[in-house]
Amino acid sequence: MLIIRNEKFVKINEKIFLMGSSSNELYLNNIYQMGDITILGWLIDNFEEENSKKIELLQNDRLHIILYPDCLPLRKKAKLIKKHVKEAECLSLKFCFIDSFIACHYANRYKKKYVIESGTDAFKSTWYHGGSIKYKLGAIPYEMLTKYYHWKAENVIYVSKKYLQNKYRSTGNQIGCSDTVLMDVSDDILQNRIKRIELDKTKIVLGLIGAARAEYRGHDILIRTASALVDKGYDIEVRFLGSKKGKEKRSSLANSLKIQDKVYFDGYKDKKGVYEWIDNIDILVMPTLAETLGRAVIEAMSLGCPVIGSSETALSEQLGSDCIASARDIKAISLIIEHMILDREYMKYCAYENFYRAKKYNSNVTNKERKKFYDEFYMRIKAEKQEK
């Protein structure tokens, strides 16, 4: 099986590192779901160490990797994707990326069987990306292509339960199955969270996970929310986890609201560091405009952390309705935070609820669902070959 996920890699001292949010667990788990797999990826020559998240790719006899320079023009990349799609037995395509659109086009042309791993709201993630106007110009074409290829697809794995299914309908074989890599944690984790909530302390630490330059993540909303709570007399601290690139704009807003001494940018951390970071915040606040699963939210929930999410996204599938507000509604978000601060029993109920809700996304559960789907996919391919 050929996997195309628009993955970026970097090579340092002959070691290959995954860039971004992918993980070894994702690929090593998928090996057992999909048999031998080949990753088609792109090699980056230069990258910013401080603002880059990387993890060494663990090699495996059943995992193969094909790397080409990321600096190649799109036309040359398309030719390479065409070549490898034509040679592949079957494919798994992560949507929505240009690489996946190209691969899907040639898979249909050469009558190759494929699975779409549907994990992105094409329009929102492009429109709210920020930066150049090219993202807004590309939002509608991306949305149309995503809808078209979902409609044509015979096999789709949605990371959501309803959100993406309603946006990108498919009449083919489909399941809703998270691709979050989440292992089981002991009840001691929950008890430690309860002890933190019961501490007699006035400072409340609010956290948000996402790159500082990502306009849609809601950094500015959280800063404004924190400012409103400080004006009411609350002792609030805000911590951001993720790439610091673009923090100048966020810092400027904090300065204008006179809370610059209460806002911190903690940069990237490894998985253990992320869990430690979550353990040291009181409430994760994610007023994001685009989210189809919420890996960060699910990880926080699994540690019993109270979480507030946005109603415009799939976060309402994970969180209780009382912890959901419109992404831009500073007043509503402030009221939920105040409720948690003033009623610690309620805050503890949120911790309990999140801890047990997250159990549904445990990898022991999702891996079984994914394996069953891919097993049936292979069986259909085998049956069609026998008929021929």
Side-chain angles (χ1 to χ4, degrees):
M1 173 174 279
L2 178 66
I3 293 184
I4 297 179
R5 298 173 58 93
N6 193 40
E7 294 286 34
K8 304 294 174 68
F9 298 84
V10 65
K11 188 178 285 188
I12 304 174
N13 298 326
E14 299 306 312
K15 292 182 178 180
I16 298 174
F17 293 83
L18 283 159
M19 305 298 294
S21 60
S22 289
S23 65
N24 281 298
E25 290 90 346
L26 173 66
Y27 284 115
L28 297 178
N29 285 345
N30 280 347
I31 286 172
Y32 302 108
Q33 291 10 296
M34 303 188 241
D36 286 9
I37 63 175
T38 298
I39 306 167
L40 178 60
W42 309 104
L43 191 63
I44 302 172
D45 283 334
N46 299 307
F47 72 104
E48 298 177 21
E49 181 75 30
E50 182 184 358
N51 293 310
S52 300
K53 181 180 180 181
K54 69 181 191 303
I55 181 170
E56 184 179 352
L57 179 66
L58 300 178
Q59 300 298 314
N60 186 289
D61 291 340
R62 294 168 64 188
L63 186 154
H64 315 279
I65 182 167
I66 301 171
L67 293 177
Y68 292 104
D70 187 49
C71 59
L72 290 175
L74 181 59
R75 181 174 293 183
K76 287 190 176 181
K77 284 188 176 183
K79 286 184 178 180
L80 291 170
I81 292 170
K82 175 183 177 182
K83 172 182 178 292
H84 289 290
V85 169
K86 192 174 183 180
E87 294 172 352
E89 180 183 8
C90 55
L91 301 99
S92 174
L93 309 172
K94 178 72 173 181
F95 263 52
C96 58
F97 299 107
I98 291 178
D99 292 12
S100 302
F101 293 150
I102 294 169
C104 214
H105 168 75
Y106 287 116
N108 288 326
R109 174 185 289 187
Y110 297 122
K111 294 181 170 48
K112 301 287 184 176
K113 298 296 182 182
Y114 59 90
V115 175
I116 286 179
E117 297 252 2
S118 182
T120 307
D121 184 321
F123 181 83
K124 285 186 176 181
S125 62
T126 310
W127 183 268
Y128 294 119
H129 186 84
S132 172
I133 189 66
K134 70 180 182 180
Y135 291 108
K136 293 192 184 298
L137 293 175
I140 293 176
Y142 260 52
E143 180 79 352
M144 292 174 66
L145 285 168
T146 303
K147 286 186 175 182
Y148 173 73
Y149 284 123
H150 276 75
W151 174 71
K152 284 186 69 71
E154 295 180 357
N155 307 279
V156 182
I157 299 179
Y158 297 95
V159 297
S160 63
K161 295 297 182 184
K162 295 180 181 179
Y163 183 85
L164 288 170
Q165 288 87 328
N166 291 334
K167 280 209 72 178
Y168 306 120
R169 296 186 180 277
S170 171
T171 57
N173 306 298
Q174 57 185 270
I175 58 169
C177 181
S178 162
D179 63 355
T180 299
V181 178
L182 187 69
M183 303 315 294
D184 203 8
V185 296
S186 71
D187 286 354
D188 291 342
I189 297 294
L190 175 60
Q191 294 310 313
N192 289 338
R193 171 59 62 172
I194 298 303
K195 288 177 183 178
R196 179 181 178 87
I197 294 172
E198 291 174 341
L199 286 175
D200 185 18
K201 65 186 186 73
T202 57
K203 178 183 285 187
I204 297 296
V205 183
L206 307 178
L208 183 151
I209 300 176
R213 66 179 175 181
E215 296 287 341
Y216 62 87
R217 276 299 181 196
H219 296 76
D220 289 354
I221 295 297
L222 182 52
I223 290 172
R224 293 184 185 280
T225 300
S227 175
L229 290 168
V230 168
D231 288 344
K232 286 187 174 183
Y234 294 104
D235 185 3
I236 300 293
E237 180 177 293
V238 176
R239 307 204 75 99
F240 295 128
L241 183 67
S243 171
K244 296 181 183 180
K245 190 173 182 179
K247 74 171 187 176
E248 293 78 14
K249 185 176 180 181
R250 315 301 163 211
S251 297
S252 176
L253 175 62
N255 285 334
S256 69
L257 296 172
K258 296 182 172 52
I259 61 167
Q260 64 273 12
D261 59 332
K262 299 179 181 297
V263 178
Y264 299 87
F265 297 85
D266 296 325
Y268 278 127
K269 295 185 183 294
D270 59 19
K271 192 151 193 172
K272 181 181 178 182
V274 171
Y275 282 8
E276 290 175 350
W277 182 90
I278 292 171
D279 281 338
N280 285 290
I281 65 168
D282 294 298
I283 307 169
L284 184 71
V285 186
M286 298 291 286
T288 178
L289 290 164
E291 187 59 77
T292 53
L293 171 64
R295 291 183 185 87
V297 165
I298 292 171
E299 286 183 345
M301 290 171 64
S302 75
L303 300 177
C305 182
V307 181
I308 299 170
S310 52
S311 58
E312 294 90 337
T313 67
L315 295 183
S316 57
E317 296 180 7
Q318 280 86 52
L319 299 167
S321 59
D322 53 327
C323 293
I324 293 290
S326 177
R328 291 193 174 103
D329 194 339
I330 294 170
K331 183 177 179 180
I333 297 169
S334 299
L335 287 173
I336 299 172
I337 294 171
E338 276 194 277
H339 188 182
M340 291 184 183
I341 294 173
L342 298 174
D343 189 344
R344 296 303 173 95
E345 285 301 311
Y346 169 72
M347 198 175 187
K348 287 196 285 186
Y349 292 144
C350 291
Y352 281 113
E353 181 180 33
N354 288 352
F355 183 80
Y356 289 108
R357 275 178 178 251
K359 297 289 186 184
K360 296 185 297 182
Y361 300 95
N362 185 283
S363 293
N364 293 330
V365 176
T366 58
N367 282 349
K368 288 179 184 177
E369 296 178 18
R370 193 172 293 270
K371 186 178 188 307
K372 182 174 183 291
F373 188 87
Y374 274 105
D375 284 346
E376 292 172 353
F377 171 67
Y378 281 127
M379 287 174 63
R380 287 191 292 272
I381 292 176
K382 186 176 180 179
E384 288 184 14
K385 284 185 176 180
Q386 291 175 344
E387 289 177 3
K388 293 178 180 179

